[in-house]
Amino acid sequence: MENPLDCDLLVLDETSMVDVLLMHALLKAVPETASLLVVGDVDQLPSVGPGQILADMITSGAVPVVRLTEVFRQAAQSRIVTSAHRINQGSIPISESRTATVTSILCRQTIQKRRAAHHRNW
C-alpha cells in the first residue's frame, strides 16, 4: 500500500469531481479495514480528468445510494432551484429577463451535451 492513510472511516466529499486517476490513488491508500463514505451530487460538474466515478458508482447498483431531495440553501421555489429541476428533467428554465435567450441557449447546449454523454456511456 502506497502512502497509507491512518483512518477507520474516510469521508470523500464532492465526488462528482473525482476522476479515475485520483480515485485509484485514493483507494490504494485506504486501509482494507477502513470504511469509505462517498458524498457528492451527480448533477454537479463532472471531473476535469477521465471518468465519471460518482455517476458510475450510482448507476452500477453495487453500492447503496441515498438521494437527498430537500433544498436548504435557497427557497424551494427560487429561480435557482426551479431552473435546476427543469434542467435535470431535460427542459429549458423559464426566465423573465432579457438574458433569457442567452440562458436558454446555454441550457439547451448543456442538456444536449448531457444527453450525448449519456448515450455514449450506454
Side-chain angles (χ1 to χ4, degrees), residues 40-62:
D41 184 347
V42 73
D43 295 322
Q44 292 216 354
L45 293 173
S47 65
V48 175
Q52 296 181 4
I53 298 297
L54 183 62
D56 290 344
M57 289 174 69
I58 291 171
T59 57
S60 75

Side-chain angles (χ1 to χ4, degrees), residues 92-93 95-108:
I92 302 297
S95 178
E96 300 166 5
S97 68
R98 290 181 166 236
T99 60
T101 304
V102 174
T103 302
S104 294
I105 291 170
L106 294 174
C107 289
R108 188 172 293 118

Side-chain angles (χ1 to χ4, degrees), residues 1-15:
M1 182 183 304
E2 295 178 25
N3 302 315
L5 298 171
D6 182 21
C7 64
D8 295 320
L9 169 66
L10 179 66
V11 178
L12 179 60
D13 196 7
E14 299 290 350
T15 309

Side-chain angles (χ1 to χ4, degrees), residues 31-76:
E32 290 183 23
T33 58
S35 296
L36 177 64
L37 176 61
V38 177
V39 180
D41 184 347
V42 73
D43 295 322
Q44 292 216 354
L45 293 173
S47 65
V48 175
Q52 296 181 4
I53 298 297
L54 183 62
D56 290 344
M57 289 174 69
I58 291 171
T59 57
S60 75
V63 295
V65 175
V66 174
R67 189 165 184 105
L68 304 178
T69 57
E70 192 169 344
V71 177
F72 293 99
R73 290 188 183 173
Q74 290 89 18

